[in-house]
Amino acid sequence: MKLIFLLTALVTVGSAIATVSARKILHAALWLVLTLLGVAVLFALLEASFFAVVQVLVYIGAISILIIFAVMLSRSSLVDEGSQTHRRWWAVAIVLLAVVIAWVAALSLWPNWSTVSAALPAGAGDLATLGKQLVDPNGYLLPFELSSILLVAALVGAIYTAVEKKAGQA
Amino acid sequence: MLNDWLYLGIFLVLALTIPALAIWLAGLLSPKKSDPIKNSIYECGPEPVGESRIQFKVQYYVYGLIFLVFDVETVLLFPWAVAYKQLAMYAVLEAVLFIAILAGGLLYAWREGALEWH
Amino acid sequence: MSFIADPINFIARWLTAVLTGWGASASVTQLILFIISAGLLAMGPLVFTILLIWVERKIGGRFQDRLGPNRLGPWGIFQPIADMLKIFTKEYITPIGADKVPFNLAPILAVAAVLAVWAVIPLASTVYGVNLNVGAVYILAVGALGELGFIMAGLGSNNKYAMLGGFRVVANLISYEVPMVVILLIPIMFSGSLGMNDIASSQTTWNVFLAPLAALIFFITQIAENARAPFDLIEADSELVAGFNVEYSGLKFGFFYVADFLHSATAALVFSTLFLGGWRGPGAETYPVLGFVYLVIKSAIIYFAILHIRFTIPRFRIDQMMNFNWKFLTPLSLVVLVATAVLDKLVPIGQTLLRVGVMWAANLLIWLIADQIVKRVSKRQAVPEVAQPRPLARPPQVKTNDATGGEA
């Protein structure tokens, strides 16, 4: 179990680094897909299966495709020339390493550092419970309806921008 | 539940490696006579002209966007659908309100001509 | 539970006993069994595709009033094997400037995405890969991974037309995914769970009787997701030079082909599980083998319907496809969802016949209203007359100095 988690975490972090340091934007987009897949596997390891598949469905199925479309839409050069690292990258690395070590040391002084959190009560991660909470007036009904308005706002804004751009370019 | 995911992980790894193995095997069996004319890009006959980048239509992006909004809407409706049998009528009406707001968004997109394929 | 009633589980239990007898611990035994089972379930559809190619070509031939393959073996049954041997030995031609990793990964992803669906479908009441509790959304998610394979194919070949084809394919697929996802909510509503096993086993009345219009819309979107006729403008064999797989050769192209054929069989399987009750039928609980037989019969009927539509209806244009999806299917699916949700709550629980009657009446009403709306709109938008019948080029009447005095 720990081995699988370690492997997944390494793949996720590695592809995230590859995303920001890739030379061609297209390769960066594909490394991003691998990162998102890694996150989905992490969700699955935490037994949140619904979120694992929704992560793949929405992030990889819609957002990554949108990113690739947006990359193709921009007419700038698709290849990043020049060095990918700052000239004094070793100085930055040392500073960051010091910060991380100090941070972890400070956290390990926290009394609850080694306690494992209690397991969820049975049925708490159930999707039906989430569904009932979403439409419960005492639960999350208002955020539920507001999220639909937020989605429509995003849709309207994006279409206003895109269609206006079409008329401007015609 | 973790056993389920373990099985799926094994299954996906196998589903990826079996075609990869087949392709590698066919690569061993097939001839490899590389030739600059054979390797050139197919453009219905004449030589390819210009860079291989196309005039990208904004329409693709708009379709992707509308798909994203409806995808997220349906993802929010999945828990409601799973809990449907245990819900009362008012809960169903609340979800109908949710769907109606998004249908309004679709109507706006329709009127603005965002759904036309030029 | 004898061997005849439930062969797969019988063999599984026998293997477990053997492995434990050799001293393997419980987790190692389980791992080995998982690997064997996953291997069989992953290889099975690939081998099954060979039969599927033959079936499609033979039936396609009959639809088009010809014989189909009939040279190799009785009824041409060895034809796909010969095709397979040929495609294994064709040369891989990689175009200049192609991106190696996306170019090679694309066919593997396309096939893996279709194969991955077979893991969650219950083939019988006790035979299934894994009873994933989010099976229905998992099927959508691996569909998304398949779309990614198509984009990689389009972008990896260094070819303008492949890129165009790839983007068109993905635009088409994501458009038709919207009604599919909306309609998928209806079987989930009726069964109260996202798992395919629960959806299959909860259909005491088949879902197609409770939501016929939804089943029809789902059927249409599955054909469109598969990029099959009449929605196959993107990879039309006679136009647009095969779209995104124009630069592929050898087995890589073969795998795109395999993914296409296997996808329609998988679509038939998924439709049968969601709407036709899957393995359900008389006696399927006690004899799981019977459940498998029922599933095969139902999927075969749906597959035949898909083939029928493929070989009969002419292709749609891209703008017709998009209009059909965004202006007809999406609003219709939203209306059907709302109507089904509200009506199902109004009918009291347990009265199946009343429920079926009410649902059919509502669906028929929605269908008639939609039909009327479409008729009115298309009458208003009647295609304007461009011109009178165009004049033909006709030579002027010339009088000749012929003895007959006639005209030339």
Side-chain angles (χ1 to χ4, degrees):
Chain A
M1 189 46 51
K2 285 213 163 101
L3 183 66
I4 299 183
F5 168 70
L6 204 58
L7 213 61
T8 314
L10 276 174
V11 165
T12 311
V13 172
S15 24
I17 296 179
T19 309
V20 296
S21 61
R23 283 185 181 273
K24 299 203 189 136
I25 296 193
L26 207 59
H27 287 178
L30 294 178
W31 282 118
L32 180 67
V33 168
L34 194 59
T35 316
L36 296 170
L37 260 178
V39 175
V41 174
L42 286 175
F43 274 137
L45 285 175
L46 287 170
E47 301 204 8
S49 357
F50 179 64
F51 293 103
V53 284
V54 161
Q55 166 91 3
V56 177
L57 175 66
V58 173
Y59 255 111
I60 300 183
I63 296 186
S64 308
I65 292 187
L66 264 183
I67 288 180
I68 294 182
F69 279 176
V71 159
M72 298 308 295
L73 200 54
S74 71
R75 299 200 199 185
S76 62
S77 160
L78 292 176
V79 177
D80 195 15
E81 303 295 341
S83 159
Q84 295 292 76
T85 49
H86 190 247
R87 215 165 348 153
R88 305 267 168 92
W89 65 272
W90 43 271
V92 179
I94 291 179
V95 168
L96 271 179
L97 199 60
V99 165
V100 166
I101 292 180
W103 195 357
V104 170
L107 271 181
S108 60
L109 293 175
W110 180 46
N112 284 338
W113 175 249
S114 329
T115 47
V116 180
S117 52
L120 286 173
D126 204 11
L127 208 55
T129 320
L130 177 63
K132 277 190 279 203
Q133 284 290 317
L134 273 180
V135 286
D136 188 6
N138 299 328
Y140 297 100
L141 176 62
L142 191 59
F144 185 60
E145 303 292 342
L146 279 182
S147 66
S148 79
I149 300 184
L150 183 65
L151 282 170
V152 171
L155 185 64
V156 165
I159 288 179
Y160 183 69
T161 318
V163 175
E164 188 188 42
K165 201 172 20 168
K166 249 196 324 198
Q169 273 181 358
Chain B
M1 205 192 302
L2 280 179
N3 273 342
D4 292 345
W5 284 106
L6 179 66
Y7 183 89
L8 265 182
I10 298 177
F11 190 87
L12 284 170
V13 166
L14 277 172
L16 283 170
T17 37
I18 295 181
L21 271 175
I23 289 184
W24 175 74
L25 192 67
L28 289 179
L29 291 174
S30 56
K32 277 174 211 46
K33 304 196 178 75
S34 185
D35 182 310
I37 298 184
K38 257 204 285 194
N39 281 352
S40 70
I41 300 164
Y42 184 66
E43 251 192 51
C44 281
E47 302 293 315
V49 173
E51 270 189 46
S52 135
R53 237 187 301 138
I54 52 174
Q55 176 65 30
F56 193 79
K57 283 210 250 256
V58 164
Q59 198 54 46
Y60 294 115
Y61 191 79
V62 172
Y63 281 152
L65 203 64
I66 306 182
F67 164 64
L68 177 63
V69 168
F70 275 89
D71 212 17
V72 175
E73 166 200 359
T74 325
V75 160
L76 281 172
L77 279 177
F78 273 124
W80 167 79
V82 170
Y84 176 78
K85 281 199 162 159
Q86 306 157 29
L87 293 174
M89 189 62 176
Y90 74 89
V92 176
L93 288 177
E94 287 159 4
V96 169
L97 177 65
F98 182 85
I99 297 176
I101 297 178
L102 274 146
L106 181 68
L107 192 64
Y108 173 79
W110 191 332
R111 293 295 296 263
E112 285 294 314
L115 303 176
E116 302 290 330
W117 176 279
H118 290 295
Chain C
M1 260 201 254
S2 60
F3 178 73
I4 312 240
D6 197 0
I8 309 261
N9 280 351
F10 188 83
I11 297 179
R13 257 169 305 135
W14 170 77
L15 257 178
T16 321
V18 163
L19 282 170
T20 340
W22 285 346
S25 69
S27 55
V28 171
T29 318
Q30 198 185 44
L31 194 65
I32 296 183
L33 237 70
F34 273 177
I35 295 180
I36 297 179
S37 144
L40 281 175
L41 203 53
M43 284 291 308
L46 284 179
V47 175
F48 176 56
T49 312
I50 299 179
L51 178 67
L52 222 53
I53 295 179
W54 175 76
V55 164
E56 176 136 4
R57 288 176 68 171
K58 213 56 174 150
I59 295 187
R62 288 295 175 172
F63 267 108
Q64 295 167 347
D65 203 16
R66 56 183 172 88
L67 283 176
N70 65 346
R71 291 279 165 210
L72 300 175
W75 302 297
I77 206 164
F78 294 135
Q79 178 76 37
I81 301 184
D83 280 337
M84 210 180 68
L85 285 175
K86 170 202 74 164
I87 229 172
F88 255 86
T89 53
K90 289 264 183 181
E91 178 181 350
Y92 288 149
I93 303 180
T94 311
I96 304 177
D99 237 340
K100 287 268 167 25
V101 172
F103 188 77
N104 290 325
L105 200 52
I108 301 178
L109 252 183
V111 172
V114 178
L115 274 182
V117 174
W118 286 72
V120 293
I121 298 188
L123 300 171
S125 59
T126 49
V127 178
Y128 43 83
V130 51
N131 181 13
L132 194 62
N133 58 340
V134 288
V137 189
Y138 167 81
I139 293 182
L140 292 174
V142 294
L145 280 180
E147 289 170 16
L148 201 67
F150 291 147
I151 270 205
M152 279 165 51
L155 292 170
S157 354
N158 191 10
N159 187 337
K160 282 190 266 252
Y161 296 105
M163 246 195 274
L164 252 181
F167 286 138
R168 265 192 170 183
V169 163
V170 171
N172 201 38
L173 290 185
I174 62 177
S175 302
Y176 275 92
E177 216 168 295
V178 173
M180 183 164 90
V181 179
V182 169
I183 292 290
L184 192 63
L185 282 171
I186 295 187
I188 296 175
M189 264 172 20
F190 285 144
S191 69
S193 153
L194 287 176
M196 296 297 270
N197 283 53
D198 298 331
I199 295 180
S201 58
S202 74
Q203 290 183 43
T204 41
T205 28
W206 292 357
N207 278 342
V208 73
F209 292 130
L210 289 177
L213 197 54
L216 183 64
I217 298 178
F218 192 78
F219 182 66
I220 296 177
T221 50
Q222 286 286 59
I223 301 183
E225 283 285 310
N226 198 10
R228 278 212 155 205
F231 299 104
D232 66 349
L233 181 75
I234 6 258
E235 46 142 27
D237 294 330
S238 52
E239 312 157 21
L240 209 61
V241 280
F244 59 86
N245 42 17
V246 68
E247 291 289 352
Y248 282 93
S249 51
L251 194 58
K252 295 179 194 162
F253 173 75
F255 269 127
F256 276 119
Y257 202 61
V258 160
D260 195 313
F261 277 78
L262 197 56
H263 195 148
S264 37
T266 314
L269 212 64
V270 167
F271 182 83
S272 316
T273 311
L274 285 176
F275 285 100
L276 293 181
W279 49 259
R280 289 192 70 95
E285 283 89 355
T286 40
Y287 294 107
V289 184
L290 269 184
F292 183 64
V293 169
Y294 291 141
L295 183 62
V296 166
I297 294 178
K298 291 175 200 173
S299 313
I301 296 178
I302 301 293
Y303 186 66
F304 184 75
I306 294 180
L307 283 188
H308 188 150
I309 293 182
R310 173 183 189 185
F311 289 115
T312 327
I313 300 187
R315 219 166 259 152
F316 291 153
R317 273 194 330 257
I318 184 87
D319 61 325
Q320 288 173 335
M321 274 200 280
M322 290 302 170
N323 282 347
F324 181 62
N325 176 53
W326 289 110
K327 300 188 180 171
F328 184 67
L329 277 188
T330 311
L332 190 65
S333 58
L334 287 173
V335 167
V336 165
L337 175 68
V338 165
T340 314
V342 169
L343 282 175
D344 200 46
K345 278 295 173 193
L346 286 179
V347 174
I349 308 180
Q351 301 193 358
T352 320
L353 228 61
L354 178 63
R355 183 184 304 261
V356 171
V358 164
M359 290 298 191
W360 268 85
N363 276 331
L364 212 57
L365 194 64
I366 296 176
W367 176 255
L368 288 171
I369 296 178
D371 200 34
Q372 284 303 312
I373 294 180
V374 168
K375 282 210 177 83
R376 303 244 169 116
V377 167
S378 50
K379 240 185 271 192
R380 252 191 294 142
Q381 280 178 1
V383 178
E385 280 264 339
V386 175
Q388 293 301 314
R390 285 189 303 200
L392 296 168
R394 248 195 319 193
Q397 307 290 2
V398 173
K399 280 207 164 56
T400 59
N401 289 333
D402 217 349
T404 55
E407 296 184 350

